[in-house]
Amino acid sequence: MPMLKHDEEYLISRGFVYTVSEDNNGLFLVLKDYNLSTEYDQHQTDVLIRIPVGYPMVGIDMFYVRPYIKIAATNMNPPATDGFANFIGIEWQQFSRHYTWSPTYNLETHIKIIDDVLARGRWQ
Amino acid sequence: MNSKVNIKIDGQKYHVPEKMRGSELKDLADIPLEVRLVIKINNAADLEIENRQEYDLTDGMKLVTDTFDNSIEIMIDNKRYIVNEIMTGAELLAKVDATPDEYKLVKEEKVEADKEYLPTVKYEIYKNDVFFTTLRKVTNGGYGYADA
């Protein structure tokens, strides 16, 4: 299952360094050294996005980070991030963020939500 | 009491005293003294600024140099767009083919908190304003999968 061309173009336009691996359920896209808001206790983290088989008819859901991150001011996990999941041999902190998927959405739609949560610190 | 007014010089906003000399205005906007600067006046000829003369400035006054590029370039979602000086949130969203019922438009602020631009409100747009869009309805937790 290859990455869609416009998704690759978007990642390149954003200057992301990324890796892609695959299993029977789809792709694991990892954005390397994603810059975090100062709301968090880390400066950077890797971000994993699962791109399921059938995408874009099937939607992307949630995202995952490693190293784990906490809210700097409270040393608490951001809301709905207490779960952990093992992908590509690594345990990731799960950001349980959901929305109703539309086939008109794409990877950019999902990364905008990640930007809002991680880069702008809107963890609420 | 010296009150202040908001003016624009070559599209940049400045908060300035009501009275300033031409040379002070140019200095403020980093314009060489020899460059021609005019006050734009509706339905009338431009008024050229003299360096030594003091001017009564009023809120919303616009001054431009001859070389001023009137186009307003902004960023939405990391892409550049040329826009008008006054636009609604919905009009800005339309630039990125997004609708207000699905997306919200937020302006990045350097000092204050980011500000949502509402669909039907008209906003003054400035060069190099930076916006981003994001889906309106995103929930934390509740459903999804946590498989390993």
Side-chain angles (χ1 to χ4, degrees):
Chain A
M1 173 187 167
M3 287 270 293
L4 296 181
K5 188 164 183 276
H6 68 263
D7 285 342
E8 282 187 319
E9 288 170 351
Y10 173 69
L11 293 173
I12 291 165
S13 76
R14 289 284 307 270
F16 286 122
V17 175
Y18 63 93
T19 63
V20 181
S21 48
E22 187 172 8
D23 73 0
N24 291 334
N25 297 315
L27 301 178
F28 299 104
L29 168 67
V30 177
L31 308 178
K32 307 293 289 182
D33 300 328
Y34 183 100
N35 289 321
L36 295 169
S37 158
T38 54
E39 291 280 325
Y40 298 111
D41 67 342
Q42 306 278 338
H43 299 299
Q44 290 183 322
T45 189
D46 287 353
V47 179
L48 181 142
I49 300 165
R50 298 178 71 192
I51 302 176
V53 170
Y55 162 83
M57 297 307 291
V58 179
I60 303 172
D61 190 32
M62 304 196 283
F63 59 92
Y64 308 83
V65 303
R66 174 86 185 220
Y68 312 143
I69 61 177
K70 291 177 182 287
I71 298 165
T74 62
N75 201 36
M76 304 276 284
N77 286 341
T81 65
D82 293 326
F84 295 89
N86 199 303
F87 300 120
I88 54 176
I90 299 169
E91 190 172 67
W92 300 80
Q93 181 184 14
Q94 174 177 286
F95 273 69
S96 191
R97 300 293 183 274
H98 312 287
Y99 52 97
T100 304
W101 183 261
S102 159
T104 61
Y105 295 165
N106 56 26
L107 184 62
E108 179 177 352
T109 313
H110 199 71
I111 290 179
K112 281 184 197 168
I113 291 165
I114 295 172
D115 289 339
D116 217 24
V117 176
L118 295 184
R120 300 187 191 98
R122 295 171 189 269
W123 43 261
Q124 297 90 335
Chain B
M1 188 180 83
N2 289 331
S3 54
K4 290 196 163 186
V5 294
N6 291 312
I7 64 168
K8 277 187 183 177
I9 305 176
D10 280 355
Q12 291 294 321
K13 194 172 177 181
Y14 297 94
H15 193 55
V16 298
E18 284 178 317
K19 287 184 183 294
M20 287 183 78
R21 291 189 184 281
S23 58
E24 293 171 328
L25 287 163
K26 288 181 179 177
D27 187 49
L28 177 71
D30 204 19
I31 297 168
L33 287 176
E34 65 274 17
V35 171
R36 185 169 178 268
L37 179 68
V38 299
I39 298 175
K40 301 295 285 184
I41 301 169
N42 285 340
N43 304 317
D46 297 342
L47 174 65
E48 184 166 350
I49 293 286
E50 301 290 342
N51 290 336
R52 292 181 181 179
Q53 187 172 331
E54 187 173 72
Y55 292 89
D56 291 323
L57 304 173
T58 56
D59 224 27
M61 192 174 264
K62 292 173 188 171
L63 298 87
V64 296
T65 57
D66 286 340
T67 55
F68 174 53
D69 176 4
N70 199 30
S71 60
I72 298 173
E73 189 177 88
I74 63 167
M75 298 280 282
I76 308 177
D77 291 340
N78 303 299
K79 292 174 191 145
R80 294 186 183 282
Y81 296 91
I82 302 294
V83 298
N84 299 328
E85 198 173 15
I86 304 288
M87 292 188 78
T88 65
E91 288 169 337
L92 289 165
L93 275 172
K95 289 279 179 188
V96 289
D97 294 326
T99 56
D101 55 330
E102 199 171 15
Y103 288 89
K104 61 182 173 184
L105 178 76
V106 181
K107 179 172 178 286
E108 284 192 0
E109 299 285 354
K110 287 174 182 153
V111 180
E112 300 166 356
D114 294 344
K115 179 182 175 186
E116 182 176 353
Y117 272 33
L118 301 173
T120 58
V121 177
K122 289 183 176 179
Y123 296 94
E124 204 166 357
I125 311 300
Y126 297 98
K127 269 190 179 182
N128 302 321
D129 277 353
V130 176
F131 297 88
F132 60 89
T133 65
T134 189
L135 286 173
R136 285 196 178 278
K137 294 170 188 167
V138 178
T139 57
N140 297 346
Y143 66 95
Y145 41 82
D147 53 342

